[in-house]
Amino acid sequence: MPVLSVHDLTIQFSGPPVLENVQLHIDRGERVCIVGRNGAGKSTLLKTILGEYAPNSGTIAFPEGGLAAALPQVSPENWDVSVHQAIALGFGKEGEMLINEKIDGLDPDRQWVIEEKIDSIIELFQLSAEARFTSLSGGQKRRVLMAKAIVAEPALLILDEPTNHMDIESIVWLESYLKKSGISLLFVTHDRTFLKSVATRIVEIDLAQLISYRCNYDTYLVRKAENLEAEEKNRELFAKKLSQEEAWLRKGIRARRTRNEGRVKALKAMRTQSKEMRQRQGTANFELQQAGASGQKAITALDVSFKVDEKTILQPFDLKINRNDRIGIIGPNGSGKSTLIKILLEKLSPTTGTVEQGTKLDFCYFDQMREQLDESLNVFDNIANGNENVSINGRQLHVISYLKDFLFTPDRSRSSIKTLSGGERNRLLIAKLFTQPFNFLVMDEPTNDLDAETLEMLEELLVNYKGTLLLVSHDREFLNNTVTSIVAINKNGYIEENIGGYDDWLAKEEARKAKGQGSATSKSSKNDWKKKPKKFLNKDRQELEAIPGKIDQLETQKEELIETLADPTTYTETPEKAKTAKEQLEEIDSLLETTYERWQELEALKESLES
């Protein structure tokens, strides 16, 4: 029995149907990825399943009971709650009663179950229950929101672009969790590495229909290409037959007596079919304007560091960028990737050190905040600057024609940019930037919100680009395919460069860890980090205070298991229960051992610092 059943669903707003009489069934444990172009209806489908949109017709059911829960695309701002309170809200009104201490209407057994589930997921996700949500990093916030979404065990988890604005470390953690959890999942992503790793099935939205592919992503691409080729041949045959029938009808006008009325009716039906036949949107066609070559030395940074209010964002570093270098920048959220770019572009002054730019540099800067777009103008005017034409590599193109290459229809070209989706805004910014020639391209998270097809087009363009490239991205496959070296920044602001793509950097990091050297980017100082004095932090104090209660809980569970194993009927009536109890007893013994060791460690640290 499926966990989700969608029957004959039609969704239509002002124009043609976004989805028309579609079916979708998801079985327990399936992880289904929805793919399709920007604007095809992916987010609309997810919001309809969640109940945010009402369908025009059709049904959405959860045959095994329960409902869908979603991870929001954007973390809430100024949400002043603890981690425990945030997760409790995953239980809806029951969670609200719990955190407001209005538990009179809550059954004590139910309250205990809720608290137990919250505590379990906090431990599973390695979170601090008392930490304030506003104080967490971007990756930690996503973990809290994920815990909130799944704590009440929804029938289906829905994720819409979950990797947007997440750093690579958080994305890898999310991948691992989803694959181990057994959760039934419906998600949308542009991150091909994430898609390949997580999805067990792919469902494409194409021309208002859902097409299911029970295969991996690479096989899907092959089958998709075959389907498009077959569709094109069918269209050609249909157009040829329609043309022949039109010619026959014109002859029939001159010889009405011999005209076949049934054939005329069939021709009229073909005309109607031709008008109603959905036309596939064209392919994005990006084109760069190459400026003349720059000097050999593009940018040289020596002993550069950056601080804000005594907080060090970037530790002292040297970096030399030569003409035609292709550098990818990676690091956790908040580590200083965008700051590094702005320093190299001389948009920010370093606290120490010098930045020297070479000769004949023509920069093109894609800002992830899209500040170059004017919200008060429509799509056309953001490109035109008061003109009707743009000059592209010596050719004069009308702005409407130019925008078609970036998948904007004439009607969409006159729309306010406030109505654009995230992917459309990214395409518009690329279109705006590419109206000028350049030889040094800087892109800060350009892949956010782009559909896979447009992303691959941009990737191909960058591969063929003859100039210097500086790229910030969390998309691992995109980095592998476009850059030749990686600059990694750790959470403490230390920088290290490695030759190769992302996988080369990862292999080097894993080799270091295997040798017990630790991560290159986890260094806390150029000096010996062990010389730094240790501190007994609030979280250490909280952990120490909680340990006796944890030990009591484990000892109680251990006694219960021993009683179970001491009962002879356990082995005769429920042998599987006996086997499970033995395994649980071994796990608890191991946990008790590590908990006692941690207790001694914290007590020793506390005494050494107090003495």
Side-chain angles (χ1 to χ4, degrees), residues 528-571:
D528 185 1
W529 61 271
K530 293 182 180 179
K531 295 178 182 177
K532 294 180 67 175
K534 292 185 176 180
K535 297 180 181 180
F536 192 71
L537 304 174
N538 285 334
K539 67 177 184 178
D540 297 323
R541 189 179 305 279
Q542 292 170 359
E543 183 182 0
L544 179 59
E545 292 173 352
I547 283 177
K550 184 177 181 180
I551 289 175
D552 287 342
Q553 185 181 15
L554 290 171
E555 291 286 4
T556 300
Q557 293 175 4
K558 181 177 180 179
E559 289 173 5
E560 292 173 352
L561 288 169
I562 289 173
E563 289 180 8
T564 299
L565 292 170
D567 185 354
T569 61
T570 300
Y571 300 87

Side-chain angles (χ1 to χ4, degrees), residues 204-348:
E204 181 183 25
I205 299 181
D206 187 37
L207 301 180
Q209 295 297 307
L210 296 184
I211 307 166
S212 180
Y213 294 84
R214 294 187 178 275
C215 58
N216 60 33
Y217 183 69
D218 291 332
T219 305
Y220 152 74
L221 292 177
V222 174
R223 292 181 182 175
K224 170 68 173 175
E226 291 172 349
N227 289 347
L228 287 175
E229 185 178 354
E231 180 185 301
E232 183 61 28
K233 288 180 179 178
N234 288 336
R235 284 179 181 271
E236 290 175 359
L237 289 172
F238 180 88
K240 183 178 180 181
K241 184 177 180 181
L242 178 60
S243 177
Q244 290 172 342
E245 293 300 289
E246 292 281 8
W248 169 83
L249 181 61
R250 287 193 295 273
K251 291 179 181 178
I253 291 173
R254 294 192 296 270
R256 289 183 183 274
R257 294 177 183 175
T258 60
R259 190 173 60 182
N260 184 324
E261 293 300 329
R263 191 170 175 182
V264 172
K265 289 180 180 179
L267 173 57
K268 289 180 178 179
M270 288 181 69
R271 287 172 174 170
T272 302
Q273 184 181 351
S274 179
K275 289 178 182 178
E276 293 178 349
M277 189 178 291
R278 291 180 178 272
Q279 295 299 314
R280 191 176 304 282
Q281 192 177 17
T283 303
N285 183 25
F286 300 163
E287 183 178 357
L288 292 173
Q289 294 200 79
Q290 194 82 37
S294 67
Q296 179 60 33
K297 293 182 179 180
I299 298 178
T300 302
L302 298 175
D303 198 31
V304 169
S305 69
F306 188 75
K307 291 183 178 181
V308 176
D309 298 330
E310 300 305 315
K311 179 183 179 182
T312 300
I313 307 298
L314 295 173
Q315 302 285 355
F317 70 91
D318 296 339
L319 183 63
K320 295 182 180 179
I321 302 175
N322 292 321
R323 183 178 63 214
N324 298 341
D325 279 353
R326 310 173 67 85
I327 300 173
I329 301 175
I330 63 173
N333 287 342
S335 61
K337 302 186 294 294
S338 296
T339 299
L340 172 61
I341 282 180
K342 290 176 181 178
I343 289 173
L344 296 177
L345 295 181
E346 297 184 346
K347 294 179 179 292
L348 278 178

Side-chain angles (χ1 to χ4, degrees), residues 11-18 44 48 53-54 56:
I11 306 170
Q12 185 173 13
F13 300 109
S14 57
V18 179
T44 299
T48 304
Y53 291 161
N56 297 80

